[in-house]
Amino acid sequence: MSTDSLDNDKNDTVLDKLFSLNNITPSLVKKDISLNPFKKKTFFKRLNPKSIILSNKEKSEKHSILKKIERKQSVSSLEEFLLYKNLKGIKSDRFRAFKKLLKPNPKKILPQNLVSQTPLDYDDSFQDNSNEYIYDELPDDYKPTDLNNNEFIDVENTFSKIKGTIIFTHGYRGSTLRMKDTKERIWIPLKETILDKKSDIKDSDENHAVFKRVLSNGSLNLLPLPNNATKHKLLLSPNKPLLERDKDVVATSILKNIGPIDIMSNLIDKVKKCNKEVQILEFAYDWRQCLELSAEELEEFILDNCNINELNRNDIHIVAHSMGGLIAHKVMTNHPLWFKGVVYVGCPSFVSNILGPLRFGDNILYNKKILTPEVNFSFRSSFYFLPQKVKPQGKEKYGRKYSSSSYVFVNDKDFNIKYDLDFFDPKTWMKYNLSPCVNEDLRNTEFKDIDFEYSVEEHYEYLKKILPVANNFLNSLEYNADNKSKYPPLAVLYGNNIPTTKGCRMPNQDAIRGSDWDNYFYGRGDGAIAEKWLLPEQRGFRKVGKFSSKEGHVSLLNDIEGIARCFDYISKEWSNNNKK
């Protein structure tokens, strides 16, 4: 909610005391009352009584929704729509991470017991001797709730008790990619700094100004920005077999930080400091490829680095960020006994706003020439984020799966009118101009200044192959009741404090074909992943320990207390299981 709207709410609170709605007349003139005594600006505005009543009704509805959120009750998509109805835009989570650099963090300066709140009883007697964890059956309408009560969590003690192995893995665009022969770094390459000297962006831009302030401290002078030649090396050919690895490129390491921006470096260092005995492993993969390949590589990685006992429970925990959760979850469903626990950090069941980069391209900070629509379209992994269309059941008008729906576009006047498209049908892409890769008209108009490496026909054949592969992979992530005694405890750290784009408002269904996709609607989330899209809950796994965080998507792993709560939950689940 904008500052202006908050100020208006305060003003209206004052006005409510001055006027009774029962005595409003059409000739009423409202004088703008400022709560700031030093603000001299005043003006007169004639108001319609109906608009005042509607405005107060909307405030009352928003107040009720906020109270539900405060009580940690479930909020519907319609209520989220009403809550963020007047929101016109949000800042990139990547920019938010930069801004965070400028703010001091008391948790890094003060002792933990001075920063945290009340002490939490900790079971120091936990001894795990069981191989079987009972995954209780829960009703279909059961929804896991937020377990974060902000009580004190002994981070050091929690991490010190972890035994065996912890594997950390990353998400989309989260690893360093190099050319295999020359070792040249193509993601993210070190040929240009964060501020392109040729950039024509003005200092008036707020984010650009933030970058310059940070640069003045000398902290970002080595932060990489891809050069234009990188595009051709990142691009995957649509003519190559989908399940064939790119032999020219290798993933060498996780991007634990980008310059001074920490992603998971502090977390890993903290665990190592607290626990000298646990084995820490980092799994990096080529995030462009099909997730089947990445899951196979993770299986091979575990077999090569861990002494696996196929018949009994193994002491392996995995902490997976974003898309890494899809890969880790796939391996867990194939080999549930391999894991003692899984921590999902901002992991999506789907991400509808992947449609933007596929349609318009994406930018890396201020460079818009690398991640063109064709480059994003060539990444096999992009299609694993698409929402799956769900057939309506009974009297339903729109299909729902668990608590999630597949619609991305809604009517701009009536939120109850949804345009529910099947994104796994290639014909949908042609009909609604979802990518210039499969539309010649878009190439000749909107994208006439971009050179495409491959033809529309080549990309359409590729699209017909990748969509069913991605769809089958997503279907394989579903909960299987036959394995309920084998699944390990599952914990989720997610953001719910930042308005997150969920879709676009359109005047009608045909308007989707155009380029006006900037009238967004929002829900609660981490700036990239809405809380209603979370894995594994949206795949039928209802027995999940969910812990909310105020961090954005990129910096969720900075919430070390949140990660500790997830491990504490897993530990207590095993402890409670042994007492049954």
Side-chain angles (χ1 to χ4, degrees):
M1 188 179 293
S2 67
T3 305
D4 292 338
S5 62
L6 288 173
D7 288 340
N8 289 337
D9 286 349
K10 292 179 181 178
N11 291 344
D12 287 328
T13 301
V14 175
L15 290 174
D16 287 344
K17 297 178 180 179
L18 301 176
F19 302 108
S20 169
L21 285 178
N22 296 328
N23 298 323
I24 290 175
T25 61
S27 60
L28 176 66
V29 175
K30 168 186 172 183
K31 183 175 181 180
D32 182 60
I33 298 177
S34 172
L35 297 180
N36 184 351
F38 301 101
K39 186 177 178 183
K40 301 297 184 181
K41 178 182 175 183
T42 59
F43 60 90
F44 291 87
K45 182 169 67 173
R46 188 177 297 275
L47 291 181
N48 187 316
K50 289 185 178 180
S51 67
I52 297 177
I53 295 171
L54 290 174
S55 174
N56 279 275
K57 180 182 178 183
E58 186 174 308
K59 291 188 185 76
S60 176
E61 290 175 341
K62 288 184 177 181
H63 180 75
S64 299
I65 296 169
L66 290 171
K67 282 295 183 183
K68 289 181 70 175
I69 292 173
E70 187 179 331
R71 294 191 295 267
K72 296 186 178 182
Q73 295 177 340
S74 177
V75 176
S76 70
S77 295
L78 178 58
E79 288 173 320
E80 285 185 329
F81 176 80
L82 294 172
L83 186 62
Y84 300 120
K85 183 178 179 181
N86 298 319
L87 189 65
K88 297 301 181 184
I90 56 175
K91 295 175 182 177
S92 164
D93 188 52
R94 284 164 281 181
F95 291 137
R96 192 177 293 109
F98 277 103
K99 283 193 168 185
K100 187 181 174 185
L101 280 177
L102 304 177
K103 298 180 181 179
N105 184 355
K107 293 183 181 181
K108 293 183 179 179
I109 302 172
L110 302 175
Q112 184 188 356
N113 60 346
L114 295 181
V115 177
S116 303
Q117 298 176 0
T118 54
L120 177 70
D121 292 335
Y122 193 88
D123 184 4
D124 196 40
S125 62
F126 166 59
Q127 295 291 332
D128 172 37
N129 299 312
S130 172
N131 288 323
E132 186 178 87
Y133 172 68
I134 306 301
Y135 196 95
D136 299 333
E137 290 289 347
L138 296 167
D140 290 341
D141 58 351
Y142 177 81
K143 296 179 181 179
T145 57
D146 180 15
L147 301 179
N148 188 2
N149 52 16
N150 292 316
E151 290 184 336
F152 173 75
I153 176 73
D154 191 334
V155 173
E156 289 79 7
N157 196 18
T158 301
F159 287 158
S160 69
K161 293 180 177 297
I162 303 171
K163 298 178 181 179
T165 300
I166 304 176
I167 301 173
F168 291 90
T169 191
H170 58 86
Y172 194 58
R173 307 178 188 173
S175 67
T176 300
L177 301 182
R178 294 183 183 272
M179 301 303 295
K180 189 174 183 179
D181 51 355
T182 65
K183 308 301 180 185
E184 176 191 359
R185 178 169 170 157
I186 64 170
W187 188 268
I188 302 172
L190 294 168
K191 292 189 176 179
E192 297 183 29
T193 57
I194 183 174
L195 288 176
D196 187 352
K197 293 180 180 179
K198 299 178 181 179
S199 174
D200 58 355
I201 298 177
K202 306 298 182 183
D203 289 348
S204 58
D205 182 271
E206 183 182 356
N207 295 315
H208 192 269
V210 169
F211 293 156
K212 297 205 78 172
R213 288 200 300 273
V214 179
L215 270 173
S216 65
N217 298 328
S219 10
L220 288 184
N221 54 352
L222 292 179
L223 190 66
L225 183 68
N227 66 338
N228 297 337
T230 305
K231 178 179 77 171
H232 304 287
K233 296 170 183 176
L234 286 172
L235 183 70
L236 294 171
S237 170
N239 301 319
K240 287 186 177 180
L242 296 179
L243 298 179
E244 179 180 285
R245 293 178 174 86
D246 186 349
K247 298 178 181 178
D248 298 326
V249 176
V250 292
T252 57
S253 62
I254 293 177
L255 282 170
K256 292 183 289 187
N257 58 279
I258 304 176
I261 308 300
D262 178 65
I263 298 175
M264 65 174 78
S265 181
N266 289 339
L267 171 62
I268 294 175
D269 290 345
K270 182 71 172 180
V271 176
K272 288 180 178 179
K273 182 179 178 181
C274 296
N275 195 327
K276 305 294 184 183
E277 297 181 2
V278 70
Q279 180 186 25
I280 305 293
L281 298 175
E282 299 173 19
F283 172 67
Y285 58 92
D286 185 344
W287 42 267
R288 304 170 303 157
Q289 65 188 4
C290 286
L291 298 196
E292 287 84 353
L293 293 176
S294 300
E296 288 177 9
E297 291 174 3
L298 178 56
E299 289 179 350
E300 294 169 3
F301 179 84
I302 293 174
L303 290 171
D304 291 342
N305 292 279
C306 305
N307 186 17
I308 294 295
N309 184 332
E310 295 285 359
L311 300 178
N312 294 305
R313 181 70 61 184
N314 292 264
D315 283 335
I316 298 175
H317 297 82
I318 187 164
V319 179
H321 181 233
S322 194
M323 187 177 74
L326 290 165
I327 297 163
H329 186 78
K330 173 67 174 178
V331 177
M332 187 277 294
T333 55
N334 289 343
H335 309 282
L337 290 177
W338 283 13
F339 300 97
K340 197 63 170 286
V342 180
V343 178
Y344 303 82
V345 185
C347 299
S349 177
F350 64 87
V351 187
S352 64
N353 46 23
I354 189 63
L355 290 166
L358 292 171
R359 172 64 169 79
F360 302 102
D362 203 358
N363 62 306
I364 310 169
L365 301 180
Y366 291 107
N367 192 318
K368 298 182 179 180
K369 299 177 182 179
I370 307 300
L371 297 179
T372 64
E374 186 175 33
V375 172
N376 287 315
F377 197 83
S378 79
F379 297 160
R380 281 58 165 149
S381 56
S382 297
F383 296 91
Y384 291 73
F385 291 127
L386 293 172
Q388 293 174 291
K389 186 175 175 64
V390 183
K391 292 183 179 180
Q393 301 292 326
K395 296 182 179 180
E396 289 181 340
K397 189 173 182 180
Y398 304 101
R400 298 183 65 83
K401 193 170 189 178
Y402 309 119
S403 63
S404 179
S405 300
S406 58
Y407 58 84
V408 177
F409 301 100
V410 301
N411 185 269
D412 60 357
K413 298 291 191 297
D414 187 352
F415 183 77
N416 291 308
I417 300 175
K418 282 103 173 169
Y419 309 123
D420 203 4
L421 309 186
D422 185 357
F423 297 107
F424 286 92
D425 183 352
K427 295 178 183 178
T428 300
W429 290 75
M430 300 291 287
K431 181 178 180 181
Y432 293 99
N433 298 345
L434 297 184
S435 172
C437 292
V438 292
N439 188 288
E440 199 69 53
D441 290 339
L442 288 178
R443 293 189 182 199
N444 296 332
T445 53
E446 289 183 44
F447 301 93
K448 60 183 179 181
D449 296 329
I450 296 179
D451 294 326
F452 287 82
E453 297 290 323
Y454 300 96
S455 67
V456 167
E457 291 73 24
E458 288 174 298
H459 279 305
Y460 187 66
E461 289 301 314
Y462 156 71
L463 184 67
K464 290 194 294 185
K465 295 174 184 176
I466 186 61
L467 290 178
V469 170
N471 195 42
N472 290 337
F473 178 91
L474 296 175
N475 290 334
S476 72
L477 304 180
E478 295 292 321
Y479 172 73
N480 183 353
D482 294 338
N483 288 331
K484 69 177 183 178
S485 63
K486 297 180 181 179
Y487 290 132
L490 310 175
V492 174
L493 182 67
Y494 69 102
N496 69 347
N497 202 47
I498 301 172
T500 302
T501 305
K502 294 183 68 176
C504 297
R505 294 181 276 188
M506 293 288 176
N508 52 64
Q509 190 158 335
D510 288 339
I512 299 171
R513 296 169 52 85
S515 59
D516 296 331
W517 286 19
D518 54 0
N519 188 9
Y520 306 119
F521 66 91
Y522 303 90
R524 300 169 71 219
D526 61 19
I529 311 299
E531 68 168 336
K532 290 183 177 293
W533 300 342
L534 294 174
L535 189 73
E537 179 183 344
Q538 297 304 329
R539 293 293 164 184
F541 289 78
R542 294 187 175 86
K543 189 177 181 181
V544 177
K546 290 177 63 178
F547 298 89
S548 63
S549 172
K550 293 183 179 180
E551 295 287 346
H553 186 70
V554 172
S555 55
L556 266 174
L557 286 162
N558 286 183
D559 188 352
I560 296 178
E561 285 189 8
I563 297 293
R565 293 182 197 281
C566 291
F567 275 104
D568 181 59
Y569 169 83
I570 291 171
S571 173
K572 288 179 176 177
E573 281 296 291
W574 280 110
S575 179
N576 294 334
N577 183 74
N578 291 339
K579 295 175 182 178
K580 292 180 179 179

